[in-house]
Amino acid sequence: MKLAIGNIVFTKVKSEYDEEWYDWLSSELSIPFLNNSKLQIRLDFNDQELDEFKSELEKTLNNTLALDKGDREYLKEHLFAYYRDFVLDVGEECLEDMPAQENEDDIFEFVHISSLSISRSSITEEFFCQFIGGCDWEIEHGISISFKDGKNLAKVGGYGHINNSDAYADKSMDKYIYYGNIVKTYAAE
């Protein structure tokens, strides 16, 4: 079964994680935000939701594919906050796969995105794209980077929720992009 949203075709395939569930996946696409690395896009919606939210999904997909180098630059301060929080919490001696970093300049080199999905917040009911992968400073919890409507940076942190509202069941938490044990960064006003 196939579904077109905008000019992207998604195919319904049996989930590799749950034999009773299906995933909607695109073919591999060049993602400008990732220097044109190729990824499939997964839609985290059931069939009825896909029909109901088609225009919101198309808008979020188009915005996601418009993210670029400038968005990566803006992201660096929040990635570095995640890195600093980890180092302050556990110490630089725990950095096995990367050298200690003094500033945010090269932090994106230690991020390895492996998947991209489009989801909807259960608390705010807004739409997000979420990039997930590994990062060399936090091997266990990896990295999750979310953009509201596919264009406004919403959350940076370990694997998990697409925004801080969902993570903490509190809409006021969306004032943070990174919310760590020691370090926090804020969304632009």
Side-chain angles (χ1 to χ4, degrees), residues 4-183:
I5 298 181
N7 56 359
I8 301 173
V9 175
F10 292 86
T11 304
K12 188 175 184 178
V13 297
K14 199 151 212 35
S15 173
E16 65 180 288
Y17 305 109
D18 183 346
E19 61 187 44
E20 295 181 20
W21 188 253
Y22 288 87
D23 290 325
W24 284 95
L25 297 172
S26 72
S27 60
E28 286 195 337
L29 302 170
S30 291
I31 309 296
F33 178 69
L34 302 174
N35 287 325
N36 291 316
S37 293
K38 293 187 178 236
L39 286 179
Q40 288 182 299
I41 301 174
R42 187 182 73 247
L43 302 176
D44 291 334
F45 298 88
N46 64 38
D47 295 358
Q48 180 181 343
E49 292 169 329
L50 287 173
D51 188 46
E52 181 180 348
F53 301 126
K54 195 168 186 176
S55 66
E56 293 91 340
L57 290 167
E58 183 173 358
K59 179 177 107 179
T60 303
L61 283 165
N62 288 337
N63 290 338
T64 300
L65 294 174
L67 294 170
D68 60 17
K69 182 179 179 180
D71 298 293
R72 278 195 318 277
E73 287 299 314
Y74 175 68
L75 173 65
K76 284 182 177 182
E77 79 172 271
H78 305 285
L79 288 174
F80 189 70
Y82 182 24
Y83 162 82
R84 286 295 303 147
D85 194 56
F86 177 81
V87 168
L88 289 170
D89 198 25
V90 301
E92 284 183 349
E93 61 276 0
C94 290
L95 297 174
E96 298 174 10
D97 294 330
M98 69 181 286
Q101 300 295 297
E102 295 298 318
N103 58 51
E104 64 193 42
D105 292 346
D106 299 322
I107 199 69
F108 207 84
E109 292 178 28
F110 303 99
V111 171
H112 316 286
I113 301 299
S114 57
S115 72
L116 170 56
S117 62
I118 307 295
S119 305
R120 185 171 179 238
S121 165
S122 60
I123 300 289
T124 67
E125 299 183 351
E126 298 164 313
F127 293 80
F128 294 82
C129 71
Q130 183 178 36
F131 295 90
I132 297 175
C135 61
D136 293 344
W137 64 89
E138 185 27 308
I139 306 299
E140 184 177 348
H141 297 108
I143 189 86
S144 171
I145 303 165
S146 298
F147 290 85
K148 183 174 120 181
D149 297 322
K151 66 180 177 180
N152 298 313
L153 184 61
K155 182 177 179 288
V156 169
Y159 297 142
H161 301 280
I162 58 172
N163 63 9
N164 285 310
S165 289
D166 286 9
Y168 297 97
D170 179 353
K171 287 183 182 181
S172 73
M173 292 301 288
D174 281 343
K175 67 184 174 191
Y176 299 103
I177 290 181
Y178 175 73
Y179 187 80
N181 295 330
I182 302 163
V183 179

